[in-house]
Amino acid sequence: MCGRYTIVVSIEELMLRYMSDMPTNRYHTPRYNVAPMQNVTAIVHDGQNNRIGQLRWGLVPSWASDDKIGSKMINARSETLLEKASFKNLIQRKRAIVPADGFYEWKQHGGKKQPMRITMKDGSIFSMAALYDTWTSPDGGKLSTCTIITTRPNSLMEDIHDRMPVILRPEDEALWLNRDHNDVDALTGLLTPYSADEMKAYPVSPLVGNVKNDVKECIEEQPVLF
């Protein structure tokens, strides 16, 4: 699964990276420990331009009776995407990118767990594939939420965990965001493990285990615990 990540770059860097118009939320701050059920920065395409905005992490389908289901829908498995009622219709028109510069996973050894941060070797921003939907509450309020798609691990990740987020190749981002493109076979063909040669992993502090710890110390390299 993908349950924690980081995005510590500035809003200006995000705008430049995704050629986006001014975001709806201009008060972006570095995030060292993003967790499910929090609002996250996301990129969608409005038919003309990329837009940076906020979605709550944990998908609530438009047909859901309440929003409690969101905590169980933080990830969507690429292999079964088209079999799930919550996801199969979203793949055609409600696709998003969740930008990140690292994500966390816990490597198990015996009875211990070592938190690891996984990044690009050059530290650059990357794009996690996501789906989104908008739910209307009984009182008419709107809630826009998302889920991050996961896939099987690449050779770097398989020693750490059996899943990893789908990271889109830069050349595939426009296709993923294009709302006019609804070739499901082509879209699902993008949901593959990213090249391990371009990524690295390093141990970090157990601080990241507590969602209240959203501090720079979370991303600093630490000695392994075992």
Side-chain angles (χ1 to χ4, degrees), residues 98-119:
V98 174
D101 49 26
F103 65 92
Y104 297 112
E105 198 52 81
W106 278 256
K107 180 178 180 179
Q108 297 196 37
H109 182 80
K112 296 183 179 180
K113 293 183 179 180
Q114 171 67 61
M116 306 288 292
R117 183 174 183 241
I118 300 92
T119 69

Side-chain angles (χ1 to χ4, degrees), residues 121-156:
K121 285 182 176 177
D122 62 3
S124 61
I125 302 168
F126 56 85
S127 300
M128 298 189 291
L131 302 172
Y132 72 95
D133 208 350
T134 300
W135 176 76
T136 303
S137 66
D139 63 4
K142 302 287 187 181
L143 176 65
S144 294
T145 62
C146 67
T147 185
I148 293 174
I149 302 173
T150 65
T151 185
R152 64 188 185 278
N154 60 22
S155 58
L156 172 72

Side-chain angles (χ1 to χ4, degrees), residues 9-17:
V9 299
S10 68
I11 193 65
E12 289 78 14
E13 289 175 275
L14 285 173
M15 291 172 63
L16 182 62
R17 171 66 172 76

Side-chain angles (χ1 to χ4, degrees), residues 184-205:
V184 173
D185 288 339
L187 291 165
T188 55
L190 304 179
L191 307 179
T192 57
Y194 199 78
S195 172
D197 293 338
E198 298 181 37
M199 303 177 71
K200 67 176 183 179
Y202 64 90
V204 294
S205 168

Side-chain angles (χ1 to χ4, degrees), residues 59 61 63 69 73 81 84-90 131 133:
L59 188 82
W63 45 260
I69 193 175
M73 306 273 279
L81 207 60
K84 306 295 184 180
S86 303
F87 309 134
K88 65 180 182 181
N89 294 324
L90 303 182
L131 302 172
D133 208 350

Side-chain angles (χ1 to χ4, degrees), residues 29 34 55 100 105 140 145 180 187 223:
T29 57
V34 186
L55 298 170
E105 198 52 81
T145 62
D180 293 327
L187 291 165

